[in-house]
Amino acid sequence: QVQLVESGGGLVQPGGSLRLSCAASGFTLEGYAIGWFRQAPGKAREGVSCSGGDGVRTEYASSVAGRFTISRDNAKNTVYLQMNSLKPEDTALYYCAAVKERPGETPMCIPAPFASWGQGTQVTVSS
């Protein structure tokens, strides 16, 4: 049974940092594309950052590029999202998601291709 559990969210002041974790169970990360997505109240869920099945290819939304970093630790079967220089507009419920990657095909960093989802962790950036 594929399961993803996010943690690390919280309340942080503007300019602060948080590191989100996504612990995977029921499968191993190798060969799976992993994405971090977020959804603010009244807005659609959007892609924040995605990592290809090889763990090397990465993609970032323009709004977070240079501030957020996605990484994975295959030994711990965990994916991370390091978030620096946080802004109030980063406030949202953050989800991680996974999908088995077809050889040579990296899914777009949008919600639709991702089959398995965690329950989300809240990030609030406010003074």
Side-chain angles (χ1 to χ4, degrees):
Q1 179 182 356
V2 172
Q3 189 173 13
L4 299 167
V5 179
E6 304 95 335
S7 62
L11 173 64
V12 63
Q13 292 187 343
S17 297
L18 282 174
R19 188 177 80 157
L20 305 184
S21 299
C22 173
S25 60
F27 71 104
T28 55
L29 290 177
E30 266 189 78
Y32 276 76
I34 304 294
W36 283 99
F37 299 85
R38 67 187 181 187
Q39 188 165 19
K43 294 188 176 181
R45 192 170 298 188
E46 63 175 355
V48 175
S49 180
C50 293
S51 169
D54 60 4
V56 176
R57 290 165 289 153
T58 58
E59 180 179 345
Y60 296 91
S62 58
S63 59
V64 306
R67 300 188 297 122
F68 291 11
T69 303
I70 190 171
S71 62
R72 60 171 76 190
D73 184 335
N74 286 346
K76 295 182 178 179
N77 222 34
T78 300
V79 181
Y80 303 98
L81 184 69
Q82 177 67 43
M83 306 186 296
N84 299 328
S85 302
L86 283 160
K87 304 175 181 180
E89 51 264 43
D90 295 317
T91 295
L93 189 59
Y94 282 70
Y95 300 89
C96 69
V99 64
K100 179 70 173 175
E101 192 174 88
R102 296 179 181 179
E105 295 182 17
T106 299
M108 294 178 64
C109 196
I110 58 174
F114 288 81
S116 301
W117 290 79
Q119 81 291 347
T121 185
Q122 178 68 38
V123 172
T124 302
V125 185
S126 175
S127 55

